[in-house]
Amino acid sequence: MRQELDMKKEQFFMQVDQQLKAQEMSVEQQANYQLMGLQQAAFERRAILDQQAAAATLEYEQKRVQDEFARTQYDHRRKAAEKQVEMNKELDRQKEEFGRQQKAMQEAYAQQVAGFAADRQAFVQQAQQAGLQVPPAAASVMQPAMP
């Protein structure tokens, strides 16, 4: 009888041990499935975050290039405007200088004409004093037109 009880006891412990192992395997399998699900979710979330980061980086680079282009374009326009102002000032200076030169040349020409007229008048007077006959066209002092 004792032996029978020991045997039943041992069978009971084996059954309990098998049930525990089966439950342990089931829990372990569930844990593995949950871990795989979490890993899959983490992988998908990481892919989404990587995609968002790439899109944000691309947008930043596009805006940076646009800003750089706009800044370069502004610099070129500013320099062109400054150069235009500089050229206009030089043109005005040259116009003024040309005006001064033209006025000086006109004054010199007028002085030459006046000198020639005075010389002619003196020559005509000398000729008349010497008793020479001076034609009327030579005696009249004509002023040439100014250019």
Side-chain angles (χ1 to χ4, degrees):
M1 184 119 168
R2 178 110 175 121
Q3 230 179 359
E4 201 178 305
L5 281 176
D6 282 342
M7 205 157 141
K8 282 187 181 184
K9 184 175 160 185
E10 197 166 312
Q11 280 180 348
F12 175 75
F13 282 136
M14 283 191 357
Q15 265 183 339
V16 169
D17 195 35
Q18 282 178 352
Q19 286 176 352
L20 283 175
K21 284 184 182 183
Q23 285 178 351
E24 182 182 338
M25 283 178 55
S26 174
V27 167
E28 194 172 306
Q29 189 177 18
Q30 286 177 357
N32 283 338
Y33 283 137
Q34 286 179 348
L35 180 62
M36 284 178 17
L38 289 173
Q39 287 174 339
Q40 180 66 27
F43 176 78
E44 289 171 1
R45 182 67 179 149
R46 176 65 183 219
I48 289 170
L49 291 174
D50 286 345
Q51 185 180 14
Q52 289 173 344
T57 301
L58 178 63
E59 182 180 353
Y60 168 79
E61 284 299 317
Q62 287 174 338
K63 286 185 179 180
R64 185 186 63 75
V65 168
Q66 287 173 346
D67 287 347
E68 187 175 320
F69 177 74
R71 190 174 19 263
T72 301
Q73 194 174 32
Y74 169 77
D75 286 342
H76 287 301
R77 286 182 179 165
R78 181 184 49 81
K79 287 177 183 175
E82 289 172 357
K83 192 67 169 175
Q84 186 66 43
V85 166
E86 199 176 296
M87 289 171 60
N88 287 342
K89 285 180 181 178
E90 178 63 19
L91 181 62
D92 289 345
R93 187 193 66 73
Q94 288 179 0
K95 283 180 182 178
E96 287 177 16
E97 180 63 28
F98 179 74
R100 282 193 294 271
Q101 288 175 356
Q102 185 179 15
K103 184 177 179 182
M105 288 174 66
Q106 286 174 346
E107 288 172 358
Y109 180 72
Q111 286 175 356
Q112 271 185 334
V113 167
F116 289 147
D119 288 347
R120 175 189 268 174
Q121 185 68 29
F123 179 72
V124 167
Q125 284 178 354
Q126 286 176 355
Q128 287 174 344
Q129 287 174 354
L132 298 174
Q133 196 162 14
V134 179
S140 67
V141 179
M142 299 196 304
Q143 294 284 346
M146 296 289 270

